[in-house]
Amino acid sequence: MDWLERTAKLRQWSRSETRAPHKPLLFLYALGRFQQDAGGELRYSAVEEDLSRLLSEYGPPNRTTPAYPFHHLVSDGVWEVRTDRGPGSPGTGVRELRAVGARGRLGPDLRAALRREPSLLGRMARVLLDLHFPPSLHGDLCEAVGLELEPAATGQVPTARRRRDPRMRERVLTAYEYQCAFCGYDGRIGAVPVGLEAAHVRWWAFDGPDDVDNGLCLCSLHHKLFDKGVLGIGDGHRVLVSQRFVGRGPAAREQVTALAGRPLIGPQPGAEPVAAAHRSWHTSQVFHGSPRPVTAA
């Protein structure tokens, strides 16, 4: 059985361009827990809070429940659920999962494969990360689910059919004249820019092209906040700041909340601005909540 292929082909609910990372998040969480305790089970009532937090932080903006992947991941052949009554999941009802002591763990064949080949765990985790989340979130996600990947597992695994265009970074940074489109940061060491990155607006994992009109030059801080849904791009190519973001110190105010309503810096004349379709995808699938109103300076 090709576990990497099975991992790459998880059945996911889909509608139009909506993200549904529920199963990948549970799978990553289960791999992390297996790494810590290979024989343990995950009682739904005990891990519900952890899974809800993961869905809130890394899932789509709309609220959802971890009961869905806890039940439905069984159909992919990598997960099993049993209750106080015996094998099998009672369904996606939260109260029922709690009442019958539902508990899940990786399926027996997968557990055996991971014991025979420990490096498989890291490769499977990398498949899930690469196919469902942008690189800027991989380290945070591993920490959140308790995964410790070996250095060899952090390289790219050739699971996706598409290949990234290595020229995108240079093209995007050139288009934005080597400065952050949100704050204008343009640091260098000698002639080499530092802390500047090419961010995908529509994530590469969700068919975002390696084109300038799907890219932004962002500093490391604002790239992370953009991928976490704190920042977005609104009409007129102005910065959106989520109302859910809270920062009381002067740095948070100056670097985040004060950006609300500012026009993007760049791109230079002749370069393509962010396409409306990619802006719309990010707003609906990544940006959290409603934008802060623009206040007078």
Side-chain angles (χ1 to χ4, degrees), residues 5-296:
E5 183 176 359
R6 180 166 291 192
T7 300
K9 294 182 177 180
L10 293 181
R11 301 185 187 94
Q12 292 179 267
W13 177 87
S14 63
R15 184 184 67 188
S16 183
E17 300 174 340
T18 303
R19 285 200 305 133
H22 310 68
K23 285 183 177 181
L25 284 170
L26 173 58
F27 202 175
L28 283 167
Y29 184 82
L31 289 171
R33 294 295 290 266
F34 179 87
Q35 194 175 55
Q36 298 166 28
D37 178 9
E41 292 183 315
L42 306 180
R43 183 174 288 269
Y44 181 79
S45 58
V47 301
E48 182 179 7
E49 184 176 348
D50 283 351
L51 296 175
S52 294
R53 189 181 304 113
L54 284 172
L55 284 168
S56 175
E57 188 167 355
Y58 297 99
N62 56 299
R63 296 190 180 278
T64 186
T65 169
Y68 168 84
F70 202 92
H71 168 74
H72 285 292
L73 189 59
V74 172
S75 66
D76 293 281
V78 298
W79 176 253
E80 65 177 6
V81 175
R82 58 185 298 112
T83 70
D84 296 338
R85 303 168 185 165
S89 171
T92 58
V94 172
R95 292 182 180 178
E96 183 71 1
L97 286 166
R98 294 170 182 163
V100 299
R103 47 203 181 271
R105 61 177 176 174
L106 300 177
D109 291 340
L110 177 53
R111 296 199 307 272
L114 290 172
R115 290 189 178 99
R116 287 194 305 269
E117 187 181 356
S119 65
L120 176 62
L121 187 147
R123 299 202 304 277
M124 292 176 68
R126 177 54 59 189
V127 169
L128 293 167
L129 292 168
D130 284 344
L131 292 181
H132 302 285
F133 305 97
S136 68
L137 300 184
H138 291 183
D140 291 349
L141 251 174
C142 287
E143 184 175 348
V145 301
L147 267 173
E148 294 187 11
L149 300 185
E150 296 295 326
T154 61
Q156 294 292 319
V157 175
T159 57
R161 306 302 190 267
R162 299 166 60 217
R163 289 184 178 274
R164 294 178 183 269
D165 185 345
R167 300 169 298 173
M168 180 189 177
R169 180 179 184 275
E170 183 64 26
R171 293 206 311 266
V172 170
L173 267 60
T174 298
Y176 285 84
E177 299 181 286
Y178 291 86
Q179 59 183 333
C180 176
F182 288 163
C183 70
Y185 168 82
D186 61 355
R188 295 171 179 262
I189 293 180
V192 180
V194 290
L196 287 172
E197 301 164 358
H200 282 76
V201 179
R202 180 189 178 106
W203 293 354
W204 189 87
F206 287 83
D207 297 323
D210 288 332
D211 297 332
V212 170
D213 71 356
N214 187 42
L216 285 174
C217 176
L218 296 178
C219 66
S220 300
L221 170 65
H222 290 131
H223 189 179
K224 177 64 68 68
L225 295 178
F226 187 64
D227 283 347
K228 293 293 285 288
V230 172
L231 300 175
I233 311 171
D235 294 336
H237 292 83
R238 292 182 177 272
V239 181
L240 303 178
V241 179
S242 173
Q243 288 185 340
R244 297 181 185 176
F245 174 80
V246 176
R248 296 182 176 85
R253 290 195 298 270
E254 294 167 8
Q255 293 294 320
V256 185
T257 54
L259 297 177
R262 287 187 188 176
L264 292 183
I265 301 170
Q268 62 176 286
E272 295 181 275
V274 177
H278 302 321
R279 286 194 290 114
S280 177
W281 183 89
H282 185 274
T283 301
S284 65
Q285 298 302 310
V286 180
F287 187 75
H288 279 275
S290 301
R292 287 173 174 262
V294 179
T295 56

